[in-house]
């Protein structure tokens, strides 16, 4: 019963600590209750057309092809003759939903959406579509619904293709974009005959949104350097030209249509996105039509861009923006209110406005962002004691009033240039203030969580020392005779109870969320238990003094130093994968230095060789950048040979029935089948034939059978470990595209030699029986009662365990390499 109570307590504590990460760092930054700010009094455009080419990189769009011609000749003409252009800088995560939220709603993704896979709206938000009179949108079912669901009313109309069309194994996904263009043409055709639709299309403040997914899908399937990706850019350019001509013809060239073409994110050379590489964060932006300035000559003093050297656009002025700046630009062009949650700054360099109009529009933009800051400040002020509230000193209410008064005076005096600069300053301060209040409680909560984590660590240390060592077995009964008054049980419980009551009252007075109670009271409870067991830590100190004349054991010091170095390697491994190679090399040579007489030479050599080979993989490029199915096949053959040899060895050294080993031979056959599926699928996709149905069936069968077979394994520990290993090897092979198959096979070798290495060391000290004789069957009472105290060797084993887990996770990649393809 006590064991189960400890397990449940540990589960509860870890759930709180884990949840706190999302609650503190992944909560919604959005506020509500702002007053809409009209972007422009006399908008130049009645309608806006937004083209978003999903996954389009800036360099692939702007650069010339091998023949010196543009891949997007129509938009190139727009850039050089009629419109403005630049680069839109996106932010991590460079995924489709965050990108579209930034473009259309004007703020960077609500980070709480990570818990929903960037698919659903955890908090409703305002957008350009919502502020429009009507919005027609065409494209993917993954993008369109999130803007129509959050709209107030039914004025956001969507037309989306079935999700089955989004096939990464398709030979050419440009048909997704063709579908969009065809549906738009059909809409305007109906607009000539349907009266209701005609009236809607003739309204002002309307938006047409084109989500073009073909480029992104072709990039994932064939990579951005492929013919399919580059040809899809040409197709999109032709489609945009046709739609532009169609719209101009429908509205009789009234000059009231504004056009924007951009992308939600880019793509790496190996066909992924989600991280912060420039190929993922740099996207094109082209604007033309009503309200957009004409091309301007680039000043000779402009800085050169290392990414635009081969774009042949150095003679034209380039206006870069942050991705969220596009939403206020669209709102300003058609005269709708800025999206309430937008944090974008109006890029006035794109506008064909006079200075007065620019100043007024930017001032409205500043008021819109300032209103968010004011509401956020009031919310935080209401949940903080007045005596402890710390306002953002750079933008107090007095400073706000002075800046607003100054901008109004400058506008009235006709000094629009100074008014524009003052509005930009106000926007900058308001954005910094928003960030300040959004992270206002972060330090306080971080301290609470850190103290809780340290308290839990000390509690576990106390339990380990009490239950698994002989340090306090004699001294526990004597401690009550001479303990200090301040460390008495009643005094400790009373003191911490008072602290807990004070914390509870302070949290209640401020009306803080219920999770704050968990984060603040958990450390109080944990430190209460730790302080009640103070004598355990005291006895540890006394035992160390008795063990060495200097008061400190040399072995302990060496162990502590090694642990600190090991922890540094573990932490550095999160950022620099190559550090894992250093750790593996050290682990490989350690048995030769520390205890050569206690290890078998063959096992020691196998351990060292496995460590050295495994150390190669963290220094290789992360998986996913290039495919090499020959390495996958090699790994499969190696796994099959290893499986056969392992089964043969176990049959010779154990007494299990042949029927037991027949399941292992089935697993080996399944491994061979998985390699065949991978190689044949790769060949089929390369021939543009897609994913064979037979391979899909085989893949599902492999998954089902691999999960069931381990249940049929023998009771011997070696045989069970072999069965489990052979069960997941086929699944891993199905997901491999390069050298990661060789990595996991070598990792299995390393784990095998580690098991036998520890077995040799333990048997040399007479601690445990031979690993080959361990069986998952009921043991005799004498074996059950046999106890073993922890030793310093167990610290090393624990470190190896954690280090190998980290190596398994980062050995062939990193966080950025496991983003959604």
């Amino acid at each position: 019963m006590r064991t189960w109570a400890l397990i449940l307590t540990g589960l509860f504590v870890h759930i709180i600590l884990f949840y706190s990460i999302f609650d503190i760092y992944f909560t919604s930054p959005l506020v509500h209750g702002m007053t809409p700010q009209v972007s422009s009094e006399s908008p130049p455009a009645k309608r806006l057309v937004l083209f978003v080419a999903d996954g389009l990189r800036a360099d692939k769009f702007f650069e010339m092809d091998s023949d010196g011609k543009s891949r997007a000749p129509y938009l190139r003409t727009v850039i050089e003759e009629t419109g403005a252009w630049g680069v839109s800088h996106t932010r991590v995560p460079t995924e489709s939903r965050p990108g579209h939220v930034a473009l259309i709603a004007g703020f960077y993704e609500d980070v709480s959406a990570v818990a929903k896979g960037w698919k659903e709206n955890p908090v409703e938000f305002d957008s350009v579509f919502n502020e429009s009179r009507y919005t027609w949108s065409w494209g993917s079912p993954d993008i369109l619904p999130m803007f129509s669901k959050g709209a107030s009313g039914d004025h956001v109309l969507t037309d989306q293709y079935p999700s089955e069309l989004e096939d990464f194994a398709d030979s050419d996904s440009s048909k997704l974009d063709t579908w969009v263009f065809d549906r738009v043409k059909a809409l305007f055709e109906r607009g000539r005959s349907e009266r209701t639709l005609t009236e809607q299309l003739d309204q002002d403040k309307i938006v047409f949104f084109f989500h073009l997914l073909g480029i992104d899908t072709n990039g994932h399937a064939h990579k951005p350097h492929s013919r399919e990706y580059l040809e899809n850019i040409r197709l999109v350019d032709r489609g945009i030209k046709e739609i532009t001509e169609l719209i101009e013809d429908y509205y009789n060239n009234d000059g009231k249509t504004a056009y924007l073409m951009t992308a939600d994110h880019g793509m790496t050379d190996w066909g992924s996105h989600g991280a912060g590489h420039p190929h993922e964060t740099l996207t094109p932006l082209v604007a033309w039509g009503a309200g957009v300035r004409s091309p301007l000559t680039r000043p000779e003093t402009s800085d050169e861009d290392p990414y635009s050297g081969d774009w042949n656009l150095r003679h034209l002025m380039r206006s870069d923006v942050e991705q969220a700046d596009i939403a206020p630009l669209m709102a300003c062009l058609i005269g709708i209110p800025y999206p309430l949650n937008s944090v974008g700054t109006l890029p006035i360099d794109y506008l064909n406005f006079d200075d007065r109009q620019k100043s007024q529009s930017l001032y409205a933009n500043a008021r819109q962002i300032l209103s968010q800051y004011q509401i956020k400040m009031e919310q935080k002020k209401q949940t903080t004691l007045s005596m402890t509230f710390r306002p953002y000193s750079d933008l107090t209410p007095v400073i706000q009033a002075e800046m607003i008064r100054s901008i109004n005076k400058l506008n009235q005096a006709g000094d629009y240039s100074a008014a524009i600069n003052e509005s930009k300053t106000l926007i900058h301060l308001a954005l910094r203030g928003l960030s300040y209040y959004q992270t206002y409680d972060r330090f306080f909560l971080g301290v609470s969580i850190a103290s809780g984590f340290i308290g839990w660590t000390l509690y576990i240390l106390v339990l380990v020392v009490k239950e698994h060592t002989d340090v306090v077995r004699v001294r526990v009964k004597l401690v009550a005779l001479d303990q200090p008054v301040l460390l008495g049980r009643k005094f400790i419980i009373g003191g911490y109870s008072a602290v807990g009551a004070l914390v509870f009252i302070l949290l209640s007075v401020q009306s803080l969320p219920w999770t704050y109670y968990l984060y603040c009271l958990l450390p109080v409870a944990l430190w209460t238990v730790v302080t009640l067991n103070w004598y355990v830590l005291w006895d540890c100190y006394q035992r160390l003094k008795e063990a060495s004349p200097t008061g400190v054991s040399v072995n302990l010091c060496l162990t502590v130093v090694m642990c600190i170095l090991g922890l540094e390697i573990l932490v550095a491994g999160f950022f620099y994968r190559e550090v894992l190679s250093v750790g593996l090399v050290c682990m490989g040579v350690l048995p030769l230095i520390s205890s050569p007489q206690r290890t078998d030479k063959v096992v020691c050599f196998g351990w060292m060789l496995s460590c050295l080979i495994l150390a190669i993989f963290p220094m290789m490029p992360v998986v996913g950048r290039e495919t090499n199915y020959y390495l996958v096949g090699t790994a499969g053959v190696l796994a099959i040979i290893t499986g056969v040899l392992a089964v043969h060895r176990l049959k010779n050294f154990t007494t299990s029935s042949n029927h037991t080993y027949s399941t292992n031979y089935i697993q080996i056959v399944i491994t061979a089948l998985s390699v065949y599926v991978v190689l044949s699928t790769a060949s089929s996709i390369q021939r543009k034939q897609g994913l064979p149905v037979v391979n899909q069936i085989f893949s599902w069968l492999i998954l089902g059978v691999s999960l069931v077979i381990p249940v049929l394994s023998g009771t011997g520990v070696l045989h069970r470990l072999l069965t489990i290993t052979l069960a997941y090897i086929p699944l891993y092979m199905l997901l491999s595209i390069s050298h990661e198959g060789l990595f996991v096979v070598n990792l299995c070798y390393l784990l095998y030699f580690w098991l036998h290495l520890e077995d040799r060391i333990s048997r040399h000290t007479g601690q445990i029986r031979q690993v080959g004789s361990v069986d998952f069957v009921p043991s005799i009472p004498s074996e059950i009662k046999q106890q073993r105290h922890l030793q310093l060797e167990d610290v090393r084993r624990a470190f190896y365990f954690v280090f190998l887990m980290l190596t398994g996770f980062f050995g062939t990649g990193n966080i950025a390499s496991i983003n959604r393809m």
Side-chain angles (χ1 to χ4, degrees):
M1 187 66 182
R2 185 171 178 274
T3 301
W4 277 107
L6 180 61
I7 293 174
L8 293 176
T9 302
L11 184 63
F12 175 73
V13 171
H14 281 86
I15 288 176
I16 293 177
L17 294 176
F18 183 75
Y19 178 76
S20 68
I21 299 173
F22 295 91
D23 191 31
I24 296 173
Y25 295 97
F26 292 88
T27 52
S28 173
L30 302 185
V31 293
H32 297 86
M34 292 79 69
T35 302
Q37 298 288 331
V38 178
S39 56
S40 59
E41 298 177 355
S42 53
K46 295 178 60 177
R47 64 200 72 91
L48 172 79
V49 183
L50 174 63
F51 302 96
V52 177
D54 202 309
L56 177 59
R57 283 168 42 166
D59 61 333
K60 296 301 177 185
F61 173 78
F62 289 120
E63 70 184 12
M64 299 297 184
D65 60 17
S66 57
D67 297 329
K69 298 180 180 179
S70 173
R71 298 190 181 95
Y74 174 72
L75 290 174
R76 183 79 174 198
T77 302
V78 168
I79 292 172
E80 295 179 342
E81 298 179 3
T82 61
W85 73 285
V87 171
S88 170
H89 296 263
T90 70
R91 292 189 184 179
V92 175
T94 46
E95 301 286 352
S96 291
R97 176 196 156 95
H100 281 86
V101 169
L103 287 170
I104 300 168
F107 70 93
Y108 297 102
E109 178 60 286
D110 179 353
V111 288
S112 60
V114 68
K116 297 179 179 291
W118 310 114
K119 296 294 183 182
E120 296 294 332
N121 299 349
V123 178
E124 295 303 330
F125 55 84
D126 194 19
S127 69
V128 171
F129 295 172
N130 187 49
E131 295 291 349
S132 68
R133 195 180 306 277
Y134 289 104
T135 292
W136 287 267
S137 57
W138 299 267
S140 168
D142 295 331
I143 298 299
L144 304 189
M146 69 181 177
F147 294 105
S148 61
K149 289 179 181 179
S152 56
D154 56 356
H155 63 286
V156 179
L157 310 173
T158 63
D159 189 1
Q160 57 200 33
Y161 41 73
S163 57
E164 291 77 14
L165 288 181
E166 300 177 9
D167 185 5
F168 290 102
D170 201 341
S171 58
D172 187 7
S173 298
S174 62
K175 62 184 180 183
L176 299 175
D177 300 337
T178 302
W179 185 95
V180 169
F181 292 133
D182 290 343
R183 302 290 285 203
V184 175
K185 294 173 183 177
L187 173 80
F188 281 98
E189 189 65 30
R190 288 190 292 108
R192 299 181 184 278
S193 57
E194 297 181 12
R195 181 177 179 180
T196 302
L197 180 59
T198 302
E199 293 176 352
Q200 293 174 341
L201 292 175
D202 287 340
Q203 298 288 328
D204 62 350
K205 298 179 174 58
I206 62 176
V207 178
F208 302 101
F209 170 48
F210 297 68
H211 177 233
L212 306 170
L213 187 62
I215 293 176
D216 181 76
T217 308
N218 273 319
H220 287 313
H222 307 288
K223 312 311 178 204
H225 295 288
S226 65
R227 179 185 60 82
E228 289 81 4
Y229 184 91
L230 301 178
E231 286 296 328
N232 206 150
I233 296 176
R234 292 187 172 91
L235 182 143
V236 167
D237 181 72
R238 290 194 299 270
I240 291 176
K241 179 182 179 182
E242 294 174 1
I243 294 300
T244 302
E245 293 174 349
L246 174 67
I247 293 176
E248 291 298 324
D249 178 67
Y250 183 86
Y251 289 106
N252 297 317
N253 296 299
D254 62 355
K256 293 294 183 178
T257 308
Y259 301 88
L260 272 83
M261 192 289 300
T262 186
D264 54 348
H265 56 75
M267 185 171 291
T268 62
D269 289 339
W270 49 95
S272 70
H273 54 80
H277 191 279
H279 286 161
E280 298 170 86
T281 60
L282 301 183
T283 58
L285 173 61
V286 182
W288 69 101
V292 180
R293 66 165 175 83
S294 301
L296 299 176
T297 303
R298 181 179 184 178
E300 296 181 359
T301 57
S302 299
D303 296 331
E304 290 294 330
D305 188 321
Y307 298 100
S308 60
D310 56 352
W311 295 357
N312 294 339
L313 291 171
R314 295 175 181 172
H315 60 292
L316 295 176
M317 180 177 173
R318 167 179 158 182
S319 302
D320 285 9
V321 300
E322 296 296 324
Q323 193 172 45
D325 298 343
I326 297 176
L329 174 61
M330 293 190 293
C332 183
L333 288 173
I334 56 177
I336 61 176
Y338 293 115
L340 295 176
N341 306 114
S342 172
V343 295
T345 302
L346 177 64
I348 57 177
D349 289 344
Y350 278 82
L351 298 175
N352 187 26
F353 288 7
D354 57 34
D355 289 343
R356 184 187 66 84
Q357 291 175 308
K358 289 181 179 179
S359 179
Q360 291 178 344
S361 296
L362 193 62
Y363 175 55
N365 185 200
R367 293 292 299 267
Q368 170 260 324
I369 296 177
L370 181 63
S371 64
Q372 297 182 69
Y373 166 81
Q374 293 170 337
I375 289 180
K376 192 68 177 181
M377 181 182 66
E378 287 300 319
Q379 289 178 349
K380 189 53 59 182
K381 195 173 182 179
Q382 292 173 5
T383 59
T384 307
L385 293 176
S386 58
M387 65 182 69
T388 62
F389 179 70
R390 308 180 312 277
Y392 180 60
S393 58
D394 290 345
L395 196 60
T396 60
V398 174
I399 296 176
Q400 295 175 38
E402 290 179 355
M403 295 189 71
I404 292 175
R405 187 162 47 249
S406 173
I407 295 173
N408 287 328
K409 286 183 178 179
L410 291 171
N411 280 326
Q412 291 173 1
D415 192 354
Y416 301 117
S417 178
I420 288 173
N421 291 332
E422 191 73 3
S423 295
K424 289 181 178 179
T425 302
L426 180 57
I427 291 174
H428 175 71
L429 292 175
L431 291 176
R432 287 181 57 185
L434 265 177
S435 177
Y436 172 80
Y437 286 117
Q438 287 165 2
T439 60
Y440 187 85
D441 293 330
R442 187 168 293 179
F443 177 77
F444 153 68
L445 293 175
V447 171
S448 298
I449 295 300
S451 61
F453 188 83
I454 295 173
W456 174 250
T457 303
L458 290 176
Y459 175 61
I460 293 299
L461 177 62
V462 167
L463 286 181
V464 170
V465 172
K466 287 178 64 175
E467 302 293 335
H468 299 284
T469 68
D470 59 352
V471 173
V472 295
R473 291 188 180 278
V474 178
R475 308 175 70 93
V476 170
K477 297 180 180 179
L478 303 177
V479 77
L481 301 177
D482 56 356
Q483 66 182 10
V485 177
L486 294 179
L487 295 177
R489 182 178 182 85
K490 293 182 179 179
F491 187 87
I492 292 174
I493 294 177
Y496 277 105
S497 297
V499 173
L502 179 61
V503 170
F504 185 88
I505 292 173
L506 291 176
L507 295 176
S508 300
V509 170
Q510 300 178 83
S511 302
L512 293 172
W514 63 270
T515 53
Y516 283 41
Y517 292 81
L518 292 177
Y519 305 149
C520 296
L521 294 177
L522 178 64
V524 176
L526 292 173
W527 280 97
T528 301
V529 178
V530 172
T531 309
L532 286 172
N533 290 276
W534 65 269
Y535 58 84
V536 176
L537 302 177
W538 176 258
D539 280 358
C540 289
Y541 173 71
Q542 294 294 331
R543 179 61 64 90
L544 291 176
K545 288 181 64 176
E546 297 170 2
S548 174
T550 61
V552 181
S553 170
V554 177
N555 289 336
L556 177 64
C557 287
L558 182 61
T559 302
V560 171
V561 171
M562 295 301 294
C563 287
I564 293 175
L565 292 177
L567 289 175
E568 289 297 326
I569 291 177
L570 286 176
V571 174
F574 280 93
F575 306 97
Y576 308 100
R577 294 172 51 242
E578 297 79 7
V579 177
L580 298 177
S581 299
V582 177
L584 287 168
V585 172
C586 294
M587 288 168 54
V589 300
L590 186 60
L592 299 177
I593 300 174
S594 60
S595 54
Q597 71 282 1
R598 296 187 296 171
T599 56
D600 181 88
K601 291 184 178 180
V602 175
V603 173
C604 189
F605 177 77
W607 163 262
M608 181 180 66
L609 184 62
S610 299
C611 284
L612 295 179
I613 294 177
L614 199 66
I616 298 174
F617 290 94
M619 295 186 292
M620 299 176 66
V622 296
V623 295
R625 299 189 176 187
E626 300 291 341
T627 59
N628 191 331
Y629 292 103
Y630 292 107
L631 293 180
V632 179
T634 302
V637 172
L638 197 58
I640 293 170
I641 295 174
T642 303
V644 173
L645 294 176
V647 172
H648 178 72
R649 179 177 175 81
L650 281 180
K651 288 177 66 176
N652 293 336
F653 287 91
T654 60
T655 58
S656 300
S657 63
N658 290 330
H659 173 71
T660 303
Y661 292 106
S662 62
T663 57
N664 297 125
Y665 287 115
I666 294 175
Q667 290 177 306
I668 293 173
V669 173
I670 292 176
T671 302
L673 180 61
S674 68
V675 175
Y676 165 76
V677 169
V678 170
L679 297 179
S680 62
T681 300
S683 176
S684 178
I685 293 177
Q686 189 176 13
R687 297 193 306 269
K688 314 298 182 185
Q689 295 179 357
L691 177 63
V693 177
V694 175
N695 288 11
Q696 296 183 45
I697 296 174
F698 281 153
S699 298
W700 285 108
L701 287 176
I702 291 171
L703 174 63
V705 175
S706 296
L707 295 177
V708 172
I709 285 185
V711 182
L712 308 176
S713 66
T715 57
V717 64
L718 293 178
H719 183 257
R720 181 161 293 184
L721 290 175
L722 174 63
T723 304
I724 294 173
T725 302
L726 291 176
Y728 81 82
I729 284 290
L731 304 179
Y732 199 90
M733 292 299 168
L734 287 176
L735 300 174
S736 298
I737 62 173
S738 185
H739 59 268
E740 65 268 40
L742 293 173
F743 168 81
V744 76
V745 171
N746 193 77
L747 180 61
C748 292
Y749 291 160
L750 179 61
L751 295 176
Y752 170 81
F753 286 115
W754 183 36
L755 180 66
H756 284 280
L757 181 68
E758 299 294 351
D759 176 52
R760 299 295 195 280
I761 295 175
S762 300
R763 282 194 287 124
H764 185 272
T765 58
Q767 293 178 9
I768 60 174
R769 53 182 173 157
Q770 186 175 1
V771 67
S773 62
V774 177
D775 207 295
F776 290 101
V777 293
S779 304
I780 59 176
S782 61
E783 292 177 326
I784 296 176
K785 295 179 181 179
Q786 183 180 1
Q787 290 186 338
R788 169 185 170 274
H789 294 309
L790 294 176
Q791 299 181 352
L792 289 179
E793 284 283 346
D794 296 310
V795 177
R796 176 187 56 79
R797 295 184 179 109
F799 172 77
Y800 279 11
F801 178 74
V802 175
F803 184 86
L804 290 176
M805 280 201 304
L806 187 67
T807 302
F809 191 73
F810 291 105
T812 59
N814 52 31
I815 292 295
S817 68
I818 61 174
N819 56 38
R820 184 177 64 86
M821 296 292 287

